[in-house]
Amino acid sequence: MDTAIEKARVLLESLPYIRRFHGRTFVIKYGGHAMVAPELKESFARDVCLLKYIGVNVVVVHGGGPQISAMLKSQRIESRFVDGLRVTDDATMDVVEMVLAGSINQDIVSLICRHGGRAVGLSGKDDGFILADKLPPVTARDGQEHDLGRVGEVRHVTPDVVVELMRAGFIPVIAPIGVDEGGQSL
């Protein structure tokens, strides 16, 4: 009986927040240990589904730096960083796309679906909805100028495809890959 009373109390305390955020859109950045530890992955997926069930539109944008590094290592492609930013040549970009838009994205979609949600994986390349500009060379702490390669900064997001997926009841799961004016991944 005490458990039922406690659950009812939590629901009553939650009601103002449910009312306040019903119909709103939350963009959740998913990364770090939450993407690695099994119990945190499960908790993340349950929480995303709960938000959707109470009427919050959820968009998940995920990371994957450690998984990219591991795949590059397995492919014997050397990783280079400048002040914490990965230098991304064409070979590295191929791996980045494979890991972010492929394995990680689909793992997250599957996890959410297993917990009762309806999720669809995307990258910013899909419909070209994330337009990015290549970063200019950066001056590092060592005073040297470095070209980071295919590293970009978001210039514009055209969210039509994401909005349509949310309207249809889906949770968009987005790999953070954009395209430049010429359609090249950044």
Side-chain angles (χ1 to χ4, degrees):
M1 186 64 140
D2 288 340
T3 303
I5 292 170
E6 177 62 20
K7 286 181 181 179
R9 186 185 65 72
V10 168
L11 284 172
L12 285 172
E13 287 177 8
S14 301
L15 192 56
Y17 298 100
I18 293 170
R19 283 186 187 131
R20 180 177 176 194
F21 296 114
H22 184 84
R24 295 280 186 85
T25 299
F26 286 10
V27 177
I28 299 172
K29 168 64 167 84
Y30 179 50
H33 284 300
M35 290 182 67
V36 179
E39 66 279 0
L40 295 176
K41 289 168 66 171
E42 297 297 324
S43 177
F44 164 79
R46 276 192 308 272
D47 290 348
V48 165
C49 291
L50 176 61
L51 286 169
K52 182 68 179 163
Y53 291 145
I54 64 170
V56 174
N57 296 309
V58 180
V59 177
V60 176
V61 179
H62 64 82
Q67 295 90 331
I68 292 167
S69 293
M71 181 61 75
L72 288 168
K73 186 175 181 178
S74 77
Q75 299 289 317
R76 294 188 173 90
I77 299 172
E78 184 181 337
S79 287
R80 212 180 72 175
F81 292 85
V82 174
D83 293 346
L85 298 171
R86 186 185 309 272
V87 176
T88 307
D89 59 14
D90 291 343
T92 301
M93 191 66 204
D94 288 343
V95 171
V96 167
E97 289 187 272
M98 177 177 62
V99 172
L100 290 180
S103 58
I104 291 176
N105 195 277
Q106 291 308 300
D107 287 347
I108 297 167
V109 166
S110 295
L111 186 61
I112 291 169
C113 290
R114 279 199 319 269
H115 284 276
R118 296 177 67 206
V120 173
L122 303 166
S123 83
K125 289 180 72 172
D126 295 317
D127 196 34
F129 82 93
I130 298 177
L131 183 62
D133 294 319
K134 182 183 180 319
L135 285 180
V138 296
T139 303
R141 287 186 289 251
D142 64 8
Q144 300 293 315
E145 202 169 79
H146 300 271
D147 182 356
L148 298 175
R150 291 174 62 182
V151 176
E153 183 173 62
V154 175
R155 178 185 345 151
H156 182 75
V157 175
T158 305
D160 299 357
V161 67
V162 175
V163 170
E164 288 303 318
L165 286 168
M166 287 189 300
R167 241 184 232 136
F170 290 97
I171 299 167
V173 177
I174 302 171
I177 300 167
V179 293
D180 65 15
E181 291 282 351
Q184 184 177 45
S185 301
L186 295 175

